[in-house]
Amino acid sequence: MNASLKRWKNSKDNENMTSEVRVGDVPVQPFRSMEEAIAYVLNDGHVISGSAIAINPEKVMLAKEDQELRTAIERATLRYADGIGVVRTIRRKGIENIRIPGCELWQALMHRSARFSTPVMLLGARPEINEKVVSSLRALGVNVVYACDGYSLNENELFKALRETQPRIVSVAMGSPKQEKLIHRMQEAYPIAFYQGVGGSFDVYAGVVKRAPNWACRLHIEWLYRLLSQPRRILRQRNLVKYLLADMRGKL
């Protein structure tokens, strides 16, 4: 099988790997394993064009009110369940799936990209965090062609850098929904990359923020651990309550 035919076959296999299911107004692709999700994006060195958006209960509820966020979600190539509430809603629809933590998916993609020297762009976080992440990834062989922290970012310069460095994977660590909206604008200017919003993954990777301990992960209460660690998140939990009520009433 020649290279071009193999790439086409891989892309068709990826298209057929999962069937979307709607959670509220949001289409989500259920995956049975992390490897399945990784292969959807990066298979034998071939990177799909498009974007990935982690879907959690908060985002499902925000999408009801925020047209720009809803458009960004609908345009995504990969919408994966990064919230146990979403996973359980999908399971109640009779579809087996697992939670795909965005931080773990991002790290796995970075490691796999090093095998193929895939050009990578890193955006977001504080300057010192961004620098530390770039340094660590380059030490692993990741081909970081451009990086900019979230405080120095200028969109005109960013769009120029996209055209000049031609990354195939762009990671944006700015929190939701800001990162999704920026990704939407970048895709319009440079559509041939794969974009992933990674939230606080750079902080975790740099060791500045700790992920929830294993016991919290096993019990699927990372959200509670983060709330107790960062009480200012309490206002964001209103959407979680709204989601749970809607799910209990069968409206998702």
Side-chain angles (χ1 to χ4, degrees):
M1 183 181 298
N2 63 44
S4 60
L5 181 58
K6 185 175 182 180
R7 284 194 297 270
W8 177 86
K9 182 180 184 299
N10 287 339
S11 67
K12 298 306 290 182
D13 288 345
N14 280 345
E15 288 175 9
N16 295 324
M17 190 176 295
T18 57
S19 298
E20 289 185 336
V21 57
R22 298 196 75 86
V23 177
D25 296 328
V26 177
V28 182
Q29 289 160 282
F31 290 100
R32 293 164 295 181
S33 68
M34 177 65 75
E35 179 58 32
E36 191 176 73
I38 296 167
Y40 188 91
V41 179
L42 179 54
N43 195 352
D44 289 339
H46 174 67
V47 182
I48 62 170
S49 298
S51 62
I53 294 185
I55 304 300
N56 57 29
E58 180 183 19
K59 207 166 291 180
V60 170
M61 303 313 294
L62 286 173
K64 291 179 177 293
E65 309 294 335
D66 191 325
Q67 178 60 51
E68 188 177 359
L69 174 59
R70 187 161 63 250
T71 298
I73 291 174
E74 290 173 350
R75 286 190 56 177
T77 307
L78 171 58
R79 294 164 288 260
Y80 59 95
D82 182 10
I84 192 61
V86 174
V87 170
R88 287 174 173 168
T89 298
I90 294 173
R91 286 177 179 170
R92 275 195 283 273
K93 295 175 184 288
I95 301 171
E96 184 56 40
N97 74 124
I98 67 166
R99 178 175 172 245
I100 304 292
C103 183
E104 294 179 18
L105 176 62
W106 172 72
Q107 288 190 45
L109 285 174
M110 290 296 98
H111 285 216
R112 181 164 295 187
S113 76
R115 290 166 49 187
F116 304 102
S117 195
T118 306
V120 169
M121 175 180 282
L122 303 174
L123 306 173
R126 299 198 307 272
E128 65 275 16
I129 299 300
N130 189 282
E131 291 176 6
K132 187 171 183 179
V133 171
V134 171
S135 178
S136 296
L137 290 178
R138 281 178 172 162
L140 294 175
V142 177
N143 181 20
V144 181
V145 295
Y146 182 86
C148 182
D149 64 82
Y151 295 82
S152 305
L153 191 145
N154 176 285
E155 288 199 17
N156 290 330
E157 294 178 1
L158 173 59
F159 295 156
K160 180 181 178 182
L162 283 167
R163 293 188 295 270
E164 292 179 348
T165 62
Q166 298 187 349
R168 292 297 290 119
I169 298 177
V170 180
S171 304
V172 186
M174 293 184 176
S176 182
K178 184 178 180 180
Q179 63 191 17
E180 285 81 14
K181 294 179 179 181
L182 175 59
I183 286 172
H184 186 185
R185 296 192 294 273
M186 284 193 292
Q187 280 187 285
E188 292 183 335
Y190 182 79
I192 65 172
F194 178 77
Y195 297 85
Q196 183 184 6
V198 298
S201 295
F202 289 7
D203 290 341
V204 173
Y205 192 75
V208 175
V209 174
K210 292 184 178 180
R211 288 193 66 191
N214 290 335
W215 62 265
C217 295
R218 287 195 302 271
L219 294 174
H220 304 300
I221 57 172
E222 294 117 303
W223 63 271
L224 179 58
Y225 177 85
R226 290 195 297 269
L227 177 59
L228 294 175
S229 302
Q230 300 173 290
R232 65 179 182 276
R233 297 174 63 95
I234 186 65
L235 294 178
R236 297 176 58 178
Q237 301 309 313
R238 290 179 298 180
N239 282 313
L240 177 58
V241 174
K242 291 179 181 178
Y243 181 94
L244 291 174
L245 292 174
D247 195 28
M248 291 171 60
R249 293 169 182 164
K251 294 185 177 181
L252 296 175

